Amino acid sequence: MTHPRARLDDLVHQPVRFSILAGLAQADELEFRFLRDTLQISDSLLSRQASTLEQAGYVAIRKGHVGKWPRTWLQLTPAGRTAFNDHLDTLREIVETPTQGETR
Amino acid sequence: MEPTKRDAETLLTGAGRVESAVRARAPREYPAYLWTGVTPVLAGMIFDLNRGGDGDSAVATVVGILLMVVLAAFVAVHVRYWRRYRQVRRRSTSKRLEWALAAWSAAALFGLGFLLADTTGIAYTVGGIVGAVPTLLWAERLRRTA
């Protein structure tokens, strides 16, 4: 049987992207600045990683206004939710799989 | 511990922190619906109090103050909800249900109140209670599933 690490999605496995997906999985939409502050990263880093996820079809980015102020919201797509849940299951499997030292 | 397992634990821990932060900031629907349900009941009682006062200025003042307090509480709860909703959009109530609850609430308060006005002194209170029941039941469901 192959090790579960073979099933890890490289796109999702990057820590910032995985955290973005984890946050988005808890809500219908998250506001860009809230996500930036929660992840404690810069505007440019979040913007770059969100664009990567958008290109992969995992995240939808919506621009709008609150009053006259421009705002951006991010949303997990169905494909993104599936990818995140699969990745989460795989990570849990890896953590729960005993290492060789533990099995002896 | 092999690197993959350590990486997995680090990722899961980080994700758990983010999930907790989002859940903590998510708007709570239960207080908003609770107050949306309570408001027509209180409004109905205030209308009946005003009707019973027969134009007494002291009663009118009390009614006015009570109405302001109820409306201020209603607005405060909803402003808090909307401030959070601007950042974290998560809702269990569809727009259609929201409008249906509001329409029923208003129709019962004013419709029943108007129809029963000549038969009882608590017509608007009864209307408010009847109007509030679906909203309060929904609020209770939200509280249980939160």
Side-chain angles (χ1 to χ4, degrees), chain A:
Chain A
M1 200 175 103
T2 56
H3 191 278
R5 85 169 72 87
R7 297 199 303 272
L8 289 172
D9 181 341
D10 285 342
L11 195 86
V12 179
H13 199 59
Q14 201 273 348
V16 172
R17 289 198 286 265
F18 187 70
S19 294
I20 292 172
L21 295 176
L24 292 175
Q26 295 298 312
D28 300 335
E29 278 186 328
L30 290 181
E31 204 261 318
F32 183 93
R33 292 181 313 163
F34 169 78
L35 195 54
R36 177 201 64 194
D37 295 343
T38 303
L39 300 180
Q40 297 176 356
I41 56 176
S42 65
D43 278 355
S44 59
L45 179 57
L46 176 55
S47 187
R48 205 163 52 240
Q49 301 299 355
S51 293
T52 303
L53 290 168
E54 187 187 29
Q55 282 165 14
Y58 290 170
V59 164
I61 298 174
R62 183 173 68 83
K63 292 185 183 296
H65 285 81
V66 174
K68 61 180 178 179
W69 309 107
R71 292 281 184 270
T72 303
W73 286 276
L74 290 87
Q75 183 184 25
L76 205 57
T77 62
R81 192 170 293 276
T82 304
F84 174 71
N85 287 335
D86 289 348
H87 203 84
L88 201 59
D89 290 342
T90 307
L91 289 177
R92 285 184 181 136
E93 202 178 321
I94 289 169
V95 169
E96 286 159 14
T97 303
T99 53
Q100 283 191 327
E102 289 168 354
T103 54
R104 280 177 198 157

Side-chain angles (χ1 to χ4, degrees), chain B residues 31-33 35-36 39 72-83:
Chain B
Y33 280 94
W35 261 100
T36 305
T39 300
F74 179 86
V75 169
V77 168
H78 282 79
V79 164
R80 184 179 158 80
Y81 175 85
W82 281 104
R83 283 171 68 103

Side-chain angles (χ1 to χ4, degrees), chain B residues 31-45 70 74 105 128-129 132-133 135-136:
Chain B
Y33 280 94
L34 179 68
W35 261 100
T36 305
V38 167
T39 300
V41 178
L42 295 175
M45 292 168 78
V70 169
F74 179 86
S105 195
I129 291 169
V133 169
T135 308
L136 291 175

Side-chain angles (χ1 to χ4, degrees), chain B residues 23-62:
Chain B
R23 278 199 297 269
R25 189 65 192 167
R28 312 222 184 297
E29 287 178 271
Y30 162 67
Y33 280 94
L34 179 68
W35 261 100
T36 305
V38 167
T39 300
V41 178
L42 295 175
M45 292 168 78
I46 292 166
F47 292 159
D48 286 333
L49 186 65
N50 191 40
R51 284 194 314 137
D54 284 335
D56 187 335
S57 64
V59 172
T61 306
V62 171

